[in-house]
Amino acid sequence: MKNLKEQAAATILAAHKVTFLTGAGVSTASGIPDYRSLKGVYHGLEAPEYLLSHDCLLQEPAKFYQFVKHLYHPEAKPNVIHEKIAKLETEKERNVWTVSQNIDGLHEKSGSRQLVNFHGTLYQCHCRQCGQPVSWQEYLKSDRHHACGGQIRPEVVLYGEGFTQDILEQAVAAVAQADVVVVVGTTFQVHPFCDLIHYTKANTKIIAINQTPVSMPVAFDMVQCAGEDIFQLL
């Protein structure tokens, strides 16, 4: 008799249309700290949401810049979760999508193409004054654009900012097409990301893989473990 991990892996492998909803826990094995754990980037900060907010960007740009720089981990490499998702995407008999909360670029590094970066990415930046794209390497040297002196920002969705209609529609479509939806490495409490689960089809199988329990307003199978434990079986 298969255990829960083996059952989850078998369900994923048997599916033709799979959508992964990934969070910060997917990248911890790559050396990127998550946001909410005791060792996460928010630990010890009184108002971390403010430091990653539109208000902080405008009102205290130096404080915003110092915080955001610590979120960059360009040396990080994809782990088995990123790699197995990307591999599944290449198999002709499958239609695999990933909708990710992560802004670390590791799904792209692993080769995923059917990917919705729901919260944007740190690795695309632009100047707020002239609108020109700026490399992330330049941004890490200074948050001021050498060409015009304007403030540079990464293209991530900050607290207090809205989502584009295009991103919302892509994410909803990715979830709606799936026969199996796999929620990985997230407590699934951040809106509107967690609201995507409402767009699953009536007969869609939903699996949550996380080290701590997950709550959802729909029926799902919970596998409480590190995501690598299951993805190594794929």
Side-chain angles (χ1 to χ4, degrees):
M1 185 175 180
K2 294 180 179 178
N3 61 33
L4 289 177
K5 295 176 186 178
E6 292 170 336
Q7 289 175 14
T11 299
I12 294 169
L13 288 174
H16 297 293
K17 297 178 180 179
V18 188
T19 294
F20 295 94
L21 302 179
T22 66
V26 164
S27 295
T28 54
S30 296
I32 298 178
D34 66 19
Y35 289 87
R36 300 294 176 183
S37 73
L38 291 177
K39 296 181 180 180
V41 296
Y42 283 178
H43 182 51
L45 297 173
E46 293 182 3
E49 286 81 3
Y50 171 70
L51 294 173
L52 200 57
S53 71
H54 184 74
D55 285 345
C56 188
L57 171 75
L58 299 184
Q59 297 170 11
E60 297 187 84
K63 184 178 289 187
F64 175 86
Y65 181 53
Q66 287 303 313
F67 179 68
V68 170
K69 281 200 299 183
H70 292 297
L71 301 182
Y72 280 86
H73 297 273
E75 75 290 344
K77 297 180 179 179
N79 60 55
V80 66
I81 303 175
H82 303 100
E83 291 168 349
K84 288 298 180 72
I85 290 175
K87 181 178 180 294
L88 288 172
E89 188 184 310
T90 66
E91 296 175 358
K92 292 181 179 179
E93 70 273 18
R94 302 184 200 280
N95 188 22
V96 175
W97 277 87
T98 304
V99 183
S100 185
Q101 288 180 289
N102 298 337
I103 56 177
D104 54 38
L106 291 181
H107 281 299
E108 289 95 331
K109 277 188 179 181
S110 70
S112 287
R113 293 294 175 264
Q114 296 199 145
L115 171 67
V116 181
N117 282 317
F118 199 72
H119 289 156
T121 174
L122 289 167
Y123 294 93
Q124 293 179 10
C125 305
H126 71 272
C127 174
R128 294 185 58 245
Q129 182 162 296
C130 69
Q132 291 297 309
V134 179
S135 72
W136 62 267
Q137 293 94 334
E138 181 177 339
Y139 178 58
L140 288 183
K141 294 176 182 176
S142 172
D143 69 340
R144 294 294 157 179
H145 192 195
H146 73 276
C148 72
Q151 184 187 23
I152 302 169
R153 63 161 291 174
E155 295 183 7
V156 299
V157 180
L158 304 175
Y159 288 101
E161 293 182 333
F163 291 78
T164 67
Q165 191 63 28
D166 183 49
I167 286 293
L168 292 172
E169 289 177 356
Q170 287 182 47
V172 167
V175 171
Q177 69 92 30
D179 298 322
V180 174
V181 168
V182 187
V183 178
V184 193
T186 171
T187 55
F188 214 54
Q189 298 299 307
V190 176
H191 299 276
F193 186 76
C194 64
D195 300 317
L196 293 172
I197 207 69
H198 293 293
Y199 295 95
T200 54
K201 295 179 293 190
N203 59 344
T204 298
K205 179 78 171 179
I206 302 171
I207 303 170
I209 303 168
N210 198 49
Q211 289 189 325
T212 57
V214 173
S215 176
M216 290 190 217
V218 295
F220 69 101
D221 291 340
M222 179 75 220
V223 188
Q224 193 170 337
C225 68
E228 309 94 272
D229 294 351
I230 290 175
F231 283 80
Q232 288 168 353
L233 301 175
L234 300 183

